[in-house]
Structure formats: structure tokens, C-alpha cells
Amino acid sequence: MYDILQGLINGTFGWGWPDWLINLIGYIIIVTIVLIVAPLQMLFFTYYERRVIARMQDRIGPNRVGPEGIWQPIADGVKMFTKEDIVPAAADRIVHFLAPCVVVAPTVLMFAVVPWGPGMTPVDLPTGLLFFFAVSSISAVGLMMAGWASNNKFSLLGAMRAVAQMVSYEIPAVLSLIAIVIIVGSLSINDIINYQSGLLISNRDLPGIPDLGLGWFIFTPVGFVAFVAFFIAALAEGERTPFDIPEADSEIVAGYMTEYSGMKFGLFYLAQYVLNFLLCAITAIIFLGGWQGPGVNWLYAQAITPTNPNGNGLFNVLAGMLGVFYFLLKTYIFFFVMVWLRGALPRLRIDQLMDFGWKFLIPLTLVNLFSAALWVAFTRWGPAEGMLLTMGWSPVLRWLAAFVITLAINLGAYLWLTQVYAASQAERRRAELEELSATL
């Protein structure tokens, strides 16, 4: 943003504005865009999900307000603003009021490090990935505040479920990302995106690969296992089916949101959909290259950048538009999968949720960390690092060895853990049947 404004204001118009003013204008524009984009994504996703679910269930979905029901999210927003705000008499009014704010604020802050396109990162932190997940974990505090302040057993139970679920599934999510961080060697989200240039194979792992922006991590054994584990954990983090246990309406009314109405309930709804968008976005960024795609890097090479101050501003616009298109396309595909799973799968029990996370996902991601270390050793290390085995090997042979070995390790771990997990579930069912027989 700074480079574009500097070139436009001081280059094209020659106004000679100071750097601090250009930076201030840039940050104001970025914050304004973020505060507009977040609610718009929520409005679009609510309409999109209702129409897709209706299609899957042989219904029509929203179709009355506007053409094809396109204005239904606006009508829902107006309804939220006009509904009465009811606070239980025995509730802690201050904490009850603050809880939705504590849940919404982190989701907005997470936008700060999301790259929308080349050179289109609001704040390019060297620890952007750490910032993203550190901020996201604050939401759990708001959920617990909501359940506790409501003075309602259903609300408290839903809040406890939500916190337990988020804490449990943050572990495999972070372990999945650590595998990618080991390979990239950086916590910068932009570095992770730039690493995925290439064609099926990253040209950082195998120099000489044509750069079509398709060297995604999902095409490697380490990246694929990390992707599957992370997306499952993202479903649990975003309270999506089959992990929507904290607000199981058939069991605990609406969980931690039971005693909320009006715009306070709307804020929880906003935070949930914005979080789902961000989880889909970070999945696309880490494993599918984010804005990487055919043509983007070539266009950006001709644009105005710190390394090319004499570039053409038109290519900034073209590269940005194409990058945003690729990024949103991948993000919306992942959200479609979330909606698809909601229409296809039943809700898990809380014990099944915890068993799967602790007994299957976490061990699998730990094995994947070992595979990631082997990937780095085979593709980059040499005699200086103690890797004498690959001395004299060509880069292609080193990459093939890394691919085959990590594939064998991850596949073997998956098959073994599947058998162990199935045996533990069978033992649990046997114990439950024995307890039921003794009761009868």
C-alpha cells in the first residue's frame, strides 16, 4: 500500500507529502477495508450456506427478499438491530455485555496478517502465523465469559464444551503448521506463500522448476497430512458440523449463546462466520499457496515494488486482482466443503470428539513433524550438517528420496493409528454395552 500511495501521490502528482502522512493514509485505508470486508463476508456466507444446504436437502432456501433472496442477509441484520436486548435478572450484566466484544475483537485483528494478493498484506509481520493463532485463542475467553455470566446451566455447559474443544484441537492444528514452518524456516505468512511457487514441486525444493504458482504443500506427503489434520481441527475450531457440540440445539438449546438476544447474539454469529472465513483463508494460504497461481508472479514482477520502483502501476492492479481471485476461489471452495459436511454428517458426541483429537490427530501430527524434519534433511542438508547419506546425489534424487520416505512413514503411521483407534472405540462400545446390560 505504501509503495502504491508513494508512487501515486509523490510520483504521479508530485505533491511531495512526507512519509509519515503517506503511512497514516495507508493504514487508515487498510483498517477501513478490513472493517468493511469482515461483515460483508459474514453476510455472503450466511446466504451462501443457506442456499447450498437447501439445494442439498431438496429445498429452495431464501427466495423472498430480493431476486433469489439475495437481500435476505440484510433483512436478518436489520432484524438483529431491532430485536430487544434481554439480560437475565441473575446474570452478571457487565461480563454478559463484554463477552460478545471479546469474541469479535480477535477475529477482526486476525485480518491484519492475511495476505490477499502480492504486496497486499495489511501488516507483514515476521511472526505473522504465530500472531494469527495467538490472537484466535483469545476467543475462548469470551465464550467462557458468556457461559459464566449468563447464570444458566445450558450456557455454562456449552461454554465448557467450547473451551475444551478449542484447546484440544488447537494442539493438532498448531502441530500441523509447525511441520510447514520447519520446511519453510519462517513464521512469516508471506514467506510461506512465496515458498509455494513452482509446478507441483516447489522450486525452493527443486531449483529449475517452472514458476506457475502451483508448488503447493498439499502435493507433498508432509503437506497433505498436515492439511487433512489442520482442516479437521479448523472444523472443530469454527464449531462446524460434525463438531458443533458447544451449541448443540437438541441437547443444550444454543450453548453459550442461550441467554443472548438482539445484536449481542448477532455479534456471536458475526464472529463465528468471520472465523470460519479466516480458517478457510489460512488453510488456502498455508497449503494451497494463497494468492499463488498461474500468471501472478509474472505480473507482479512488472509492478511497482521496493525492488522495482520504476515498474508500471497497472501491473500492481492486475497482479492484485488475479491474486485476490485465486485466494478467494480457494477460500470459498473450502467453505463449500464445510457446508457440504454440515449437510452430510451427523453431530459427534463429546467423548468421540475428544477421543479422535487426542488419540488419533495429535499422534499423527507428531509423526508428521518427524517426516518434516526428514524432508529438510534430504532436500537441503549436506555433509556440513552431518547428512553424509546424500553426498553426491542430484537435487532430483534427493527430492524423490524425501518424497518416498516421508510418504512411507506417514502412510504407515496412519494405518497403525487407524487400527489402534478402531480397537479403542470397539473396547469403549463393549464397556458401554456391559454397563447398559448391568443397568437393565
Side-chain angles (χ1 to χ4, degrees), residues 95-153:
V95 179
H96 189 272
F97 171 78
L98 290 176
C101 305
V102 174
V103 173
V104 169
T107 59
V108 177
L109 287 174
M110 290 159 69
F111 276 98
V113 294
V114 174
W116 294 78
M120 297 176 63
T121 309
V123 182
D124 185 12
L125 292 177
T127 55
L129 195 61
L130 176 63
F131 174 87
F132 186 94
F133 283 94
V135 169
S136 70
S137 62
I138 299 175
S139 296
V141 178
L143 301 183
M144 196 66 206
M145 288 171 62
W148 177 261
S150 296
N151 197 26
N152 178 298
K153 292 182 176 61

Tab-separated table of all heavy atoms in Angstrom, residues 95-153:
chain	number	residue	atom	x	y	z
A	95	VAL	N	-20.120	-8.575	32.591
A	95	VAL	CA	-19.449	-9.654	31.850
A	95	VAL	C	-20.324	-10.122	30.697
A	95	VAL	O	-19.827	-10.434	29.607
A	95	VAL	CB	-19.108	-10.818	32.804
A	95	VAL	CG1	-18.425	-11.952	32.039
A	95	VAL	CG2	-18.219	-10.334	33.933
A	96	HIS	N	-21.631	-10.149	30.924
A	96	HIS	CA	-22.580	-10.538	29.874
A	96	HIS	C	-22.478	-9.585	28.686
A	96	HIS	O	-22.584	-10.005	27.517
A	96	HIS	CB	-23.996	-10.521	30.453
A	96	HIS	CG	-25.037	-11.102	29.550
A	96	HIS	ND1	-25.706	-10.358	28.601
A	96	HIS	CD2	-25.528	-12.371	29.454
A	96	HIS	CE1	-26.569	-11.113	27.963
A	96	HIS	NE2	-26.482	-12.350	28.456
A	97	PHE	N	-22.262	-8.310	28.948
A	97	PHE	CA	-22.126	-7.316	27.884
A	97	PHE	C	-20.769	-7.424	27.165
A	97	PHE	O	-20.682	-7.279	25.951
A	97	PHE	CB	-22.297	-5.912	28.472
A	97	PHE	CG	-21.973	-4.807	27.507
A	97	PHE	CD1	-22.874	-4.439	26.517
A	97	PHE	CD2	-20.750	-4.149	27.572
A	97	PHE	CE1	-22.569	-3.429	25.625
A	97	PHE	CE2	-20.437	-3.129	26.684
A	97	PHE	CZ	-21.350	-2.775	25.699
A	98	LEU	N	-19.710	-7.678	27.934
A	98	LEU	CA	-18.358	-7.682	27.364
A	98	LEU	C	-18.053	-8.942	26.561
A	98	LEU	O	-17.219	-8.912	25.643
A	98	LEU	CB	-17.320	-7.536	28.483
A	98	LEU	CG	-17.255	-6.182	29.180
A	98	LEU	CD1	-16.249	-6.224	30.317
A	98	LEU	CD2	-16.882	-5.085	28.181
A	99	ALA	N	-18.702	-10.058	26.872
A	99	ALA	CA	-18.367	-11.338	26.236
A	99	ALA	C	-18.431	-11.283	24.706
A	99	ALA	O	-17.484	-11.718	24.031
A	99	ALA	CB	-19.267	-12.442	26.779
A	100	PRO	N	-19.519	-10.773	24.080
A	100	PRO	CA	-19.535	-10.720	22.609
A	100	PRO	C	-18.404	-9.867	22.038
A	100	PRO	O	-17.846	-10.196	20.979
A	100	PRO	CB	-20.904	-10.104	22.288
A	100	PRO	CG	-21.729	-10.312	23.498
A	100	PRO	CD	-20.786	-10.274	24.644
A	101	CYS	N	-18.045	-8.795	22.737
A	101	CYS	CA	-16.953	-7.933	22.266
A	101	CYS	C	-15.626	-8.673	22.293
A	101	CYS	O	-14.810	-8.551	21.367
A	101	CYS	CB	-16.858	-6.673	23.124
A	101	CYS	SG	-18.406	-5.739	23.241
A	102	VAL	N	-15.402	-9.461	23.362
A	102	VAL	CA	-14.157	-10.218	23.484
A	102	VAL	C	-14.085	-11.304	22.412
A	102	VAL	O	-12.997	-11.653	21.948
A	102	VAL	CB	-14.043	-10.833	24.897
A	102	VAL	CG1	-12.830	-11.743	25.009
A	102	VAL	CG2	-13.978	-9.732	25.939
A	103	VAL	N	-15.210	-11.824	21.983
A	103	VAL	CA	-15.222	-12.854	20.939
A	103	VAL	C	-14.996	-12.238	19.559
A	103	VAL	O	-14.277	-12.799	18.731
A	103	VAL	CB	-16.565	-13.627	20.971
A	103	VAL	CG1	-16.666	-14.570	19.785
A	103	VAL	CG2	-16.683	-14.413	22.263
A	104	VAL	N	-15.580	-11.069	19.298
A	104	VAL	CA	-15.494	-10.457	17.963
A	104	VAL	C	-14.132	-9.817	17.710
A	104	VAL	O	-13.569	-9.942	16.615
A	104	VAL	CB	-16.612	-9.403	17.779
A	104	VAL	CG1	-16.382	-8.587	16.522
A	104	VAL	CG2	-17.962	-10.081	17.714
A	105	ALA	N	-13.583	-9.139	18.716
A	105	ALA	CA	-12.344	-8.366	18.518
A	105	ALA	C	-11.195	-9.202	17.957
A	105	ALA	O	-10.532	-8.776	16.994
A	105	ALA	CB	-11.941	-7.700	19.832
A	106	PRO	N	-10.913	-10.418	18.488
A	106	PRO	CA	-9.796	-11.187	17.919
A	106	PRO	C	-9.989	-11.559	16.458
A	106	PRO	O	-9.021	-11.579	15.685
A	106	PRO	CB	-9.748	-12.442	18.808
A	106	PRO	CG	-10.417	-12.057	20.065
A	106	PRO	CD	-11.473	-11.077	19.670
A	107	THR	N	-11.236	-11.848	16.055
A	107	THR	CA	-11.460	-12.238	14.665
A	107	THR	C	-11.160	-11.088	13.713
A	107	THR	O	-10.667	-11.312	12.603
A	107	THR	CB	-12.909	-12.715	14.462
A	107	THR	OG1	-13.815	-11.659	14.812
A	107	THR	CG2	-13.205	-13.932	15.323
A	108	VAL	N	-11.427	-9.862	14.145
A	108	VAL	CA	-11.104	-8.707	13.306
A	108	VAL	C	-9.589	-8.489	13.261
A	108	VAL	O	-9.014	-8.184	12.213
A	108	VAL	CB	-11.825	-7.449	13.816
A	108	VAL	CG1	-11.437	-6.228	12.997
A	108	VAL	CG2	-13.347	-7.647	13.764
A	109	LEU	N	-8.924	-8.669	14.417
A	109	LEU	CA	-7.476	-8.489	14.471
A	109	LEU	C	-6.747	-9.502	13.587
A	109	LEU	O	-5.669	-9.206	13.058
A	109	LEU	CB	-6.982	-8.622	15.910
A	109	LEU	CG	-7.309	-7.462	16.860
A	109	LEU	CD1	-6.890	-7.802	18.281
A	109	LEU	CD2	-6.619	-6.186	16.403
A	110	MET	N	-7.318	-10.680	13.409
A	110	MET	CA	-6.664	-11.715	12.599
A	110	MET	C	-6.525	-11.299	11.137
A	110	MET	O	-5.644	-11.785	10.425
A	110	MET	CB	-7.446	-13.027	12.713
A	110	MET	CG	-7.332	-13.676	14.090
A	110	MET	SD	-8.660	-14.852	14.448
A	110	MET	CE	-8.269	-16.173	13.318
A	111	PHE	N	-7.388	-10.388	10.682
A	111	PHE	CA	-7.290	-9.902	9.304
A	111	PHE	C	-5.989	-9.142	9.059
A	111	PHE	O	-5.578	-8.973	7.911
A	111	PHE	CB	-8.469	-8.979	8.975
A	111	PHE	CG	-9.708	-9.697	8.546
A	111	PHE	CD1	-10.725	-9.940	9.454
A	111	PHE	CD2	-9.874	-10.123	7.241
A	111	PHE	CE1	-11.878	-10.595	9.068
A	111	PHE	CE2	-11.023	-10.783	6.840
A	111	PHE	CZ	-12.034	-11.020	7.757
A	112	ALA	N	-5.351	-8.668	10.131
A	112	ALA	CA	-4.181	-7.804	9.988
A	112	ALA	C	-3.031	-8.486	9.256
A	112	ALA	O	-2.222	-7.817	8.619
A	112	ALA	CB	-3.713	-7.324	11.360
A	113	VAL	N	-2.932	-9.814	9.361
A	113	VAL	CA	-1.779	-10.512	8.774
A	113	VAL	C	-2.169	-11.406	7.601
A	113	VAL	O	-1.368	-12.224	7.152
A	113	VAL	CB	-1.052	-11.348	9.855
A	113	VAL	CG1	-0.421	-10.449	10.897
A	113	VAL	CG2	-2.007	-12.339	10.513
A	114	VAL	N	-3.395	-11.266	7.096
A	114	VAL	CA	-3.847	-12.114	5.986
A	114	VAL	C	-3.443	-11.479	4.657
A	114	VAL	O	-3.881	-10.377	4.342
A	114	VAL	CB	-5.379	-12.312	6.029
A	114	VAL	CG1	-5.859	-13.067	4.797
A	114	VAL	CG2	-5.776	-13.057	7.296
A	115	PRO	N	-2.607	-12.152	3.846
A	115	PRO	CA	-2.235	-11.613	2.528
A	115	PRO	C	-3.334	-11.897	1.503
A	115	PRO	O	-3.673	-13.045	1.247
A	115	PRO	CB	-0.950	-12.369	2.171
A	115	PRO	CG	-0.587	-13.170	3.394
A	115	PRO	CD	-1.849	-13.360	4.164
A	116	TRP	N	-3.879	-10.848	0.909
A	116	TRP	CA	-4.941	-11.002	-0.080
A	116	TRP	C	-4.377	-11.165	-1.490
A	116	TRP	O	-5.053	-11.695	-2.373
A	116	TRP	CB	-5.869	-9.798	-0.039
A	116	TRP	CG	-6.630	-9.698	1.235
A	116	TRP	CD1	-6.177	-9.236	2.438
A	116	TRP	CD2	-7.985	-10.126	1.467
A	116	TRP	NE1	-7.159	-9.324	3.391
A	116	TRP	CE2	-8.283	-9.862	2.821
A	116	TRP	CE3	-8.966	-10.681	0.655
A	116	TRP	CZ2	-9.517	-10.152	3.384
A	116	TRP	CZ3	-10.205	-10.957	1.213
A	116	TRP	CH2	-10.474	-10.707	2.559
A	117	GLY	N	-3.186	-10.686	-1.699
A	117	GLY	CA	-2.552	-10.762	-3.007
A	117	GLY	C	-1.103	-10.362	-2.869
A	117	GLY	O	-0.631	-10.052	-1.764
A	118	PRO	N	-0.340	-10.344	-3.953
A	118	PRO	CA	1.061	-9.935	-3.873
A	118	PRO	C	1.184	-8.480	-3.444
A	118	PRO	O	0.596	-7.593	-4.054
A	118	PRO	CB	1.573	-10.147	-5.309
A	118	PRO	CG	0.346	-10.116	-6.154
A	118	PRO	CD	-0.752	-10.678	-5.327
A	119	GLY	N	1.915	-8.249	-2.348
A	119	GLY	CA	2.048	-6.893	-1.838
A	119	GLY	C	0.800	-6.352	-1.204
A	119	GLY	O	0.679	-5.136	-1.012
A	120	MET	N	-0.141	-7.224	-0.832
A	120	MET	CA	-1.426	-6.785	-0.294
A	120	MET	C	-1.661	-7.349	1.110
A	120	MET	O	-2.743	-7.807	1.443
A	120	MET	CB	-2.567	-7.198	-1.233
A	120	MET	CG	-2.501	-6.551	-2.598
A	120	MET	SD	-3.786	-7.136	-3.720
A	120	MET	CE	-5.264	-6.583	-2.881
A	121	THR	N	-0.605	-7.332	1.922
A	121	THR	CA	-0.712	-7.761	3.315
A	121	THR	C	-0.838	-6.523	4.196
A	121	THR	O	0.035	-5.651	4.138
A	121	THR	CB	0.526	-8.567	3.737
A	121	THR	OG1	0.755	-9.599	2.794
A	121	THR	CG2	0.333	-9.156	5.125
A	122	PRO	N	-1.913	-6.411	4.993
A	122	PRO	CA	-2.043	-5.222	5.846
A	122	PRO	C	-0.814	-4.977	6.707
A	122	PRO	O	-0.283	-3.879	6.748
A	122	PRO	CB	-3.281	-5.542	6.685
A	122	PRO	CG	-4.091	-6.466	5.824
A	122	PRO	CD	-3.091	-7.292	5.084
A	123	VAL	N	-0.349	-6.010	7.422
A	123	VAL	CA	0.866	-5.904	8.240
A	123	VAL	C	1.691	-7.161	8.012
A	123	VAL	O	1.258	-8.259	8.369
A	123	VAL	CB	0.526	-5.763	9.747
A	123	VAL	CG1	1.816	-5.598	10.551
A	123	VAL	CG2	-0.409	-4.591	9.992
A	124	ASP	N	2.856	-7.005	7.419
A	124	ASP	CA	3.708	-8.156	7.113
A	124	ASP	C	4.636	-8.428	8.292
A	124	ASP	O	5.788	-7.996	8.321
A	124	ASP	CB	4.515	-7.891	5.837
A	124	ASP	CG	5.325	-9.119	5.419
A	124	ASP	OD1	5.081	-10.199	5.983
A	124	ASP	OD2	6.211	-8.970	4.545
A	125	LEU	N	4.125	-9.157	9.283
A	125	LEU	CA	4.922	-9.484	10.465
A	125	LEU	C	5.831	-10.673	10.189
A	125	LEU	O	5.412	-11.631	9.523
A	125	LEU	CB	4.008	-9.830	11.649
A	125	LEU	CG	3.155	-8.708	12.241
A	125	LEU	CD1	2.279	-9.272	13.356
A	125	LEU	CD2	4.018	-7.591	12.777
A	126	PRO	N	7.057	-10.669	10.695
A	126	PRO	CA	7.920	-11.854	10.548
A	126	PRO	C	7.405	-13.048	11.345
A	126	PRO	O	7.806	-14.180	11.097
A	126	PRO	CB	9.275	-11.373	11.080
A	126	PRO	CG	8.966	-10.197	11.943
A	126	PRO	CD	7.751	-9.555	11.356
A	127	THR	N	6.495	-12.789	12.282
A	127	THR	CA	5.863	-13.864	13.062
A	127	THR	C	4.352	-13.848	12.825
A	127	THR	O	3.574	-14.033	13.762
A	127	THR	CB	6.178	-13.696	14.560
A	127	THR	OG1	5.765	-12.373	14.963
A	127	THR	CG2	7.653	-13.872	14.846
A	128	GLY	N	3.938	-13.611	11.594
A	128	GLY	CA	2.518	-13.462	11.277
A	128	GLY	C	1.696	-14.682	11.625
A	128	GLY	O	0.564	-14.572	12.123
A	129	LEU	N	2.231	-15.881	11.376
A	129	LEU	CA	1.488	-17.108	11.663
A	129	LEU	C	1.273	-17.272	13.169
A	129	LEU	O	0.188	-17.664	13.616
A	129	LEU	CB	2.249	-18.310	11.102
A	129	LEU	CG	1.478	-19.627	10.995
A	129	LEU	CD1	0.274	-19.471	10.076
A	129	LEU	CD2	2.386	-20.739	10.509
A	130	LEU	N	2.291	-16.952	13.944
A	130	LEU	CA	2.155	-17.004	15.400
A	130	LEU	C	1.123	-15.994	15.880
A	130	LEU	O	0.283	-16.305	16.736
A	130	LEU	CB	3.517	-16.730	16.053
A	130	LEU	CG	3.538	-16.664	17.578
A	130	LEU	CD1	3.134	-17.998	18.186
A	130	LEU	CD2	4.920	-16.254	18.072
A	131	PHE	N	1.153	-14.781	15.337
A	131	PHE	CA	0.178	-13.755	15.706
A	131	PHE	C	-1.240	-14.224	15.400
A	131	PHE	O	-2.155	-14.066	16.220
A	131	PHE	CB	0.478	-12.462	14.947
A	131	PHE	CG	-0.540	-11.378	15.144
A	131	PHE	CD1	-0.443	-10.499	16.215
A	131	PHE	CD2	-1.615	-11.232	14.274
A	131	PHE	CE1	-1.390	-9.503	16.407
A	131	PHE	CE2	-2.562	-10.243	14.458
A	131	PHE	CZ	-2.449	-9.377	15.531
A	132	PHE	N	-1.442	-14.818	14.234
A	132	PHE	CA	-2.772	-15.252	13.793
A	132	PHE	C	-3.394	-16.211	14.806
A	132	PHE	O	-4.539	-16.032	15.238
A	132	PHE	CB	-2.655	-15.919	12.421
A	132	PHE	CG	-3.965	-16.285	11.790
A	132	PHE	CD1	-4.591	-15.421	10.911
A	132	PHE	CD2	-4.572	-17.505	12.056
A	132	PHE	CE1	-5.799	-15.762	10.323
A	132	PHE	CE2	-5.776	-17.856	11.474
A	132	PHE	CZ	-6.392	-16.975	10.593
A	133	PHE	N	-2.631	-17.227	15.235
A	133	PHE	CA	-3.212	-18.238	16.115
A	133	PHE	C	-3.163	-17.827	17.580
A	133	PHE	O	-3.990	-18.286	18.374
A	133	PHE	CB	-2.520	-19.579	15.886
A	133	PHE	CG	-2.988	-20.243	14.631
A	133	PHE	CD1	-2.302	-20.074	13.456
A	133	PHE	CD2	-4.152	-20.984	14.616
A	133	PHE	CE1	-2.753	-20.642	12.279
A	133	PHE	CE2	-4.615	-21.564	13.453
A	133	PHE	CZ	-3.915	-21.397	12.280
A	134	ALA	N	-2.230	-16.960	17.928
A	134	ALA	CA	-2.234	-16.451	19.306
A	134	ALA	C	-3.464	-15.584	19.549
A	134	ALA	O	-4.123	-15.691	20.598
A	134	ALA	CB	-0.953	-15.652	19.562
A	135	VAL	N	-3.803	-14.746	18.582
A	135	VAL	CA	-4.977	-13.885	18.720
A	135	VAL	C	-6.262	-14.704	18.672
A	135	VAL	O	-7.219	-14.440	19.415
A	135	VAL	CB	-4.970	-12.801	17.615
A	135	VAL	CG1	-6.293	-12.064	17.574
A	135	VAL	CG2	-3.841	-11.808	17.850
A	136	SER	N	-6.293	-15.711	17.807
A	136	SER	CA	-7.521	-16.513	17.671
A	136	SER	C	-7.877	-17.222	18.972
A	136	SER	O	-9.059	-17.465	19.255
A	136	SER	CB	-7.364	-17.541	16.545
A	136	SER	OG	-6.455	-18.556	16.910
A	137	SER	N	-6.874	-17.567	19.781
A	137	SER	CA	-7.154	-18.303	21.018
A	137	SER	C	-7.838	-17.434	22.068
A	137	SER	O	-8.400	-17.958	23.034
A	137	SER	CB	-5.848	-18.868	21.588
A	137	SER	OG	-4.957	-17.824	21.928
A	138	ILE	N	-7.804	-16.119	21.889
A	138	ILE	CA	-8.450	-15.231	22.868
A	138	ILE	C	-9.963	-15.427	22.863
A	138	ILE	O	-10.632	-15.208	23.879
A	138	ILE	CB	-8.096	-13.763	22.559
A	138	ILE	CG1	-6.579	-13.554	22.666
A	138	ILE	CG2	-8.813	-12.801	23.500
A	138	ILE	CD1	-6.122	-12.169	22.256
A	139	SER	N	-10.513	-15.851	21.729
A	139	SER	CA	-11.973	-16.039	21.631
A	139	SER	C	-12.499	-16.990	22.688
A	139	SER	O	-13.638	-16.858	23.148
A	139	SER	CB	-12.345	-16.545	20.241
A	139	SER	OG	-12.023	-15.594	19.254
A	140	ALA	N	-11.683	-17.979	23.070
A	140	ALA	CA	-12.131	-18.950	24.075
A	140	ALA	C	-12.467	-18.265	25.391
A	140	ALA	O	-13.385	-18.680	26.111
A	140	ALA	CB	-11.056	-20.017	24.285
A	141	VAL	N	-11.741	-17.191	25.718
A	141	VAL	CA	-12.029	-16.439	26.950
A	141	VAL	C	-13.425	-15.820	26.867
A	141	VAL	O	-14.208	-15.856	27.835
A	141	VAL	CB	-10.961	-15.349	27.172
A	141	VAL	CG1	-11.288	-14.538	28.424
A	141	VAL	CG2	-9.577	-15.971	27.281
A	142	GLY	N	-13.759	-15.242	25.699
A	142	GLY	CA	-15.079	-14.641	25.529
A	142	GLY	C	-16.198	-15.655	25.624
A	142	GLY	O	-17.270	-15.360	26.191
A	143	LEU	N	-15.978	-16.846	25.093
A	143	LEU	CA	-17.004	-17.887	25.168
A	143	LEU	C	-17.249	-18.302	26.609
A	143	LEU	O	-18.403	-18.495	27.029
A	143	LEU	CB	-16.586	-19.095	24.331
A	143	LEU	CG	-16.337	-18.843	22.840
A	143	LEU	CD1	-15.992	-20.137	22.127
A	143	LEU	CD2	-17.542	-18.190	22.183
A	144	MET	N	-16.171	-18.447	27.375
A	144	MET	CA	-16.331	-18.815	28.785
A	144	MET	C	-17.004	-17.694	29.557
A	144	MET	O	-17.835	-17.948	30.449
A	144	MET	CB	-14.964	-19.130	29.388
A	144	MET	CG	-15.040	-19.878	30.699
A	144	MET	SD	-15.742	-21.528	30.476
A	144	MET	CE	-16.438	-21.824	32.101
A	145	MET	N	-16.685	-16.446	29.225
A	145	MET	CA	-17.349	-15.302	29.869
A	145	MET	C	-18.845	-15.343	29.606
A	145	MET	O	-19.650	-15.094	30.518
A	145	MET	CB	-16.757	-13.996	29.331
A	145	MET	CG	-15.347	-13.688	29.801
A	145	MET	SD	-14.608	-12.280	28.922
A	145	MET	CE	-15.731	-10.956	29.398
A	146	ALA	N	-19.227	-15.645	28.368
A	146	ALA	CA	-20.649	-15.680	28.016
A	146	ALA	C	-21.385	-16.756	28.795
A	146	ALA	O	-22.485	-16.531	29.312
A	146	ALA	CB	-20.803	-15.905	26.510
A	147	GLY	N	-20.786	-17.956	28.876
A	147	GLY	CA	-21.442	-19.051	29.590
A	147	GLY	C	-21.552	-18.786	31.075
A	147	GLY	O	-22.584	-19.046	31.696
A	148	TRP	N	-20.482	-18.233	31.665
A	148	TRP	CA	-20.476	-17.979	33.109
A	148	TRP	C	-21.415	-16.837	33.481
A	148	TRP	O	-22.166	-16.923	34.461
A	148	TRP	CB	-19.048	-17.676	33.560
A	148	TRP	CG	-18.948	-17.324	35.006
A	148	TRP	CD1	-18.872	-16.083	35.563
A	148	TRP	CD2	-18.942	-18.237	36.099
A	148	TRP	NE1	-18.808	-16.149	36.927
A	148	TRP	CE2	-18.854	-17.469	37.292
A	148	TRP	CE3	-19.001	-19.625	36.200
A	148	TRP	CZ2	-18.818	-18.059	38.547
A	148	TRP	CZ3	-18.966	-20.204	37.452
A	148	TRP	CH2	-18.873	-19.433	38.614
A	149	ALA	N	-21.377	-15.756	32.696
A	149	ALA	CA	-22.166	-14.569	33.049
A	149	ALA	C	-23.657	-14.784	32.885
A	149	ALA	O	-24.457	-14.082	33.498
A	149	ALA	CB	-21.723	-13.383	32.185
A	150	SER	N	-24.063	-15.742	32.046
A	150	SER	CA	-25.493	-15.949	31.790
A	150	SER	C	-26.225	-16.566	32.973
A	150	SER	O	-27.458	-16.515	33.032
A	150	SER	CB	-25.676	-16.844	30.557
A	150	SER	OG	-25.167	-16.215	29.406
A	151	ASN	N	-25.457	-17.198	33.895
A	151	ASN	CA	-26.081	-17.850	35.060
A	151	ASN	C	-27.126	-18.869	34.616
A	151	ASN	O	-28.237	-18.914	35.129
A	151	ASN	CB	-26.703	-16.803	35.998
A	151	ASN	CG	-26.988	-17.390	37.379
A	151	ASN	OD1	-26.336	-18.339	37.801
A	151	ASN	ND2	-27.967	-16.826	38.075
A	152	ASN	N	-26.730	-19.668	33.645
A	152	ASN	CA	-27.624	-20.657	33.062
A	152	ASN	C	-26.831	-21.942	32.869
A	152	ASN	O	-25.721	-21.914	32.331
A	152	ASN	CB	-28.157	-20.129	31.718
A	152	ASN	CG	-29.060	-21.123	31.012
A	152	ASN	OD1	-28.637	-22.205	30.654
A	152	ASN	ND2	-30.300	-20.727	30.799
A	153	LYS	N	-27.389	-23.053	33.308
A	153	LYS	CA	-26.648	-24.316	33.230
A	153	LYS	C	-26.353	-24.718	31.791
A	153	LYS	O	-25.284	-25.244	31.480
A	153	LYS	CB	-27.429	-25.418	33.955
A	153	LYS	CG	-27.516	-25.224	35.462
A	153	LYS	CD	-28.255	-26.365	36.120
A	153	LYS	CE	-28.242	-26.202	37.636
A	153	LYS	NZ	-28.899	-24.951	38.076
